[in-house]
Amino acid sequence: ELKVEQNPLFLSMQEGKNYTIYCNYSTTSDRLYWYRQDPGKSLESLFVLLSNGAVKQEGRLMASLDTKARLSTLHITAAVHDLSATYFCAVEGNNYGQNFVFGPGTRLSVLP
Amino acid sequence: GAGVSQTPSNKVTEKGKYVELRCDPISGHTALYWYRQSLGQGPEFLIYFQGTGAADDSGLPNDRFFAVRPEGSVSTLKIQRTERGDSAVYLCASSFGGAIAEAFFGQGTRLTVV
């Protein structure tokens, strides 16, 4: 059974600080996805990582993928309050790319 | 519409009742997905439609859950004899092709079974 784990599950940090969220998965997938979810809102696609060593950056967020270690990281640089949300990583559940297995989510709270 | 629309946004029902949750996908999207998100957890796959047919229903937890998409557009998720454990946010997503990675998610229906 494919498992996707994230840590930490809860993260409270001050504005201006840096931190990294980790996503581990148990399959040999070479593609991994990051989503953001605000309370009561839908899932918003953040990053699509399609190969080993892929690195994507958008503003204060940077995601990377190490398929050999089955590990992806989401690094937050100089956090701001607007980044407060829950972040999910997801891996395709089968070879057809028709469904995702999501991690449990990391609830990030950035304090002023 | 501009995005995936789900109705109702909130539904409270009594244990044992029947409920229907509706999803209006983005116009022209042939693929439609249902996920369930329990409190504090990530979304879990329920069912995937390609056109009118359920291409993969392996995520439906039991036979109380059923989904249809009779005309290949709107989909309805039906839950019979609801249980308190069914309480969750039910998310719908749609995509032009069959790749979940290209899908857009709706805001979900929050179902509470009391």
Side-chain angles (χ1 to χ4, degrees), chain B residues 49-73:
Chain B
F49 285 91
Q50 183 59 253
T52 60
D56 183 355
D57 63 358
S58 62
L60 294 177
N62 52 59
D63 61 6
R64 295 187 298 105
F65 288 75
F66 190 70
V68 296
R69 196 185 185 201
E71 298 180 358
S73 178

Side-chain angles (χ1 to χ4, degrees), chain A residues 29-99:
Chain A
S29 176
D30 58 0
R31 293 184 284 207
L32 188 131
Y33 307 82
W34 283 96
Y35 285 82
R36 167 180 172 149
Q37 187 177 42
D38 291 286
K41 303 291 186 181
S42 184
L43 291 165
E44 173 191 352
S45 178
L46 287 177
F47 298 108
V48 177
L49 303 169
L50 299 177
S51 62
N52 185 40
V55 178
K56 294 279 184 74
Q57 182 162 6
E58 180 72 33
R60 302 174 187 273
L61 299 177
M62 183 173 70
S64 65
L65 178 62
D66 180 344
T67 59
K68 293 180 181 177
R70 301 180 187 178
L71 170 69
S72 179
T73 62
L74 180 64
H75 187 72
I76 304 157
T77 302
V80 293
H81 180 69
D82 284 353
L83 290 179
S84 297
T86 300
Y87 294 85
F88 294 95
C89 61
V91 177
E92 291 172 359
N94 59 35
N95 292 330
Y96 305 106
Q98 295 163 351
N99 71 66

